[in-house]
């Protein structure tokens, strides 16, 4: 079983790398942001969750932990999974560690480190297909036809939480609540792989991740 945690600030490229990893490894991509948006679309969540997301703050640990626990118990996650956007707080990390420890499994955390100014440029230029979820960026990864999804021709949208004040709040939540989770993993002696994802195209970052994971597997075998 390969439990992978993709860790990084909003705009660090977690979604793109998660898609590439899941296609390559044949395991599911579990994005808590996508799951929450999906539930809101289907009217399953309280207005409070929707309002929290639109403000850029974090949804409560209880709501997110319960949702993830349920998702990890589905059959397709038995061979492993790529978590994108979870854990985002120490209580979430403790919850995930306990869940994995209870099954005799260990996660590998991949930290996508990206320069702050690059993050801002990426987030303000981000566009998404409302139908299939594909992400574009007006500067670095534009669609073939301006404003339309390459895959299904749907009109691309700016996510509500990609407006500038909300971006600031999301980055603030990351610094205050999420970045310390890395320290939690390190202090607990768990594996954290650092990948410099600042300047490189997604395919190159993906190669770096694969090489780092292979090196980590080899050193684990020797231990
Ligand atoms: P994302 O698509 O991962 O950027 O998530 C969008 C929003 O969903 C975040 O700004 C939070 O409001 C909420 N969210 C997603 N994942 C989590 C999580 N693990 N814990 C708390 N809130 C989350």
């Amino acid at each position: 079983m390969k439990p992978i945690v993709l860790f990084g600030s909003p705009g660090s490229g977690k979604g793109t790398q998660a898609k590439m990893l899941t296609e390559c490894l044949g395991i599911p991509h579990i994005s808590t942001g996508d799951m929450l948006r999906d539930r809101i679309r289907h009217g399953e969540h309280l207005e409070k969750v929707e309002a929290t997301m639109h403000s850029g703050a974090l949804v409560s640990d209880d709501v997110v932990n319960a949702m993830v626990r349920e998702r990890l118990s589905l059959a397709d996650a038995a061979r492993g999974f790529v978590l994108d956007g979870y854990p985002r707080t120490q209580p979430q990390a403790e919850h995930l560690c306990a869940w994995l420890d209870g099954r005799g499994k260990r996660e590998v955390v991949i930290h996508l480190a990206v320069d702050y100014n690059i993050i801002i440029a990426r987030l303000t230029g981000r566009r998404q297909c409302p139908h299939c979820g594909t992400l574009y960026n007006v500067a670095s990864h534009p669609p073939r036809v301006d404003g339309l999804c390459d895959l299904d021709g749907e009109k691309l949208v700016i996510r509500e939480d990609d407006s500038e004040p909300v971006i600031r709040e999301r980055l603030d939540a990351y610094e205050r609540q999420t970045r310390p989770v890395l320290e939690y993993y390190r202090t607990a002696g768990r594996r954290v792989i650092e990948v410099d994802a600042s300047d490189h195209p997604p395919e190159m970052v993906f190669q770096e991740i694969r090489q780092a994971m292979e090196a980590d597997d080899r050193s684990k075998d020797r231990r």
Side-chain angles (χ1 to χ4, degrees), residues 102-168:
R103 286 156 185 78
K105 305 293 176 199
R106 266 287 156 113
E107 74 292 311
V108 53
V109 179
I110 299 168
H111 175 212
L112 299 178
V114 182
D115 180 83
Y116 188 81
N117 290 326
I118 294 179
I119 293 283
I120 297 282
R122 280 189 191 166
L123 289 176
T124 49
R126 190 149 81 167
R127 304 289 181 271
Q128 187 170 32
C129 173
H131 182 65
C132 69
T134 302
L135 287 168
Y136 299 88
N137 189 286
V138 289
S140 57
H141 174 46
R144 281 195 295 271
V145 178
D146 192 27
L148 300 181
C149 179
D150 289 350
L151 303 183
D152 52 29
E154 197 81 23
K155 199 167 180 302
L156 301 179
V157 297
I158 300 180
R159 260 171 46 181
E160 252 178 89
D161 56 355
D162 278 342
S163 72
E164 282 205 52
V166 181
I167 287 174
R168 228 171 294 125

Side-chain angles (χ1 to χ4, degrees), residues 5 7 61-62 64-66 68-69 72 83 86-103 105-107 109 177-178 180-188 190:
V5 172
F7 196 93
D61 290 332
D62 288 349
V64 180
N65 283 340
V68 169
R69 213 169 39 237
L72 296 186
L83 281 167
Y86 179 94
R88 258 172 153 107
T89 63
Q90 183 166 328
Q92 291 180 17
E94 286 168 357
H95 182 263
L96 178 64
C97 286
W99 192 92
L100 291 168
D101 289 348
R103 286 156 185 78
K105 305 293 176 199
R106 266 287 156 113
E107 74 292 311
V109 179
Q177 293 165 276
T178 308
V181 171
L182 270 185
E183 219 29 63
Y184 165 78
Y185 275 113
R186 291 198 185 103
T187 309
R190 304 184 78 118

Side-chain angles (χ1 to χ4, degrees), residues 31-34 36-37 52-53 56-59 64 84-88 92 126 159 161 170:
S31 152
T32 43
D34 285 348
L36 288 165
R37 280 185 288 276
T52 304
M53 286 179 75
L58 295 185
V59 173
V64 180
D84 159 11
Y86 179 94
R88 258 172 153 107
Q92 291 180 17
R126 190 149 81 167
R159 260 171 46 181
D161 56 355
R170 288 167 65 205

Side-chain angles (χ1 to χ4, degrees), residues 179-199:
R179 190 187 282 282
V181 171
L182 270 185
E183 219 29 63
Y184 165 78
Y185 275 113
R186 291 198 185 103
T187 309
R190 304 184 78 118
R191 291 145 70 205
V192 179
I193 294 178
E194 291 287 336
V195 173
D196 176 5
S198 265
D199 260 341

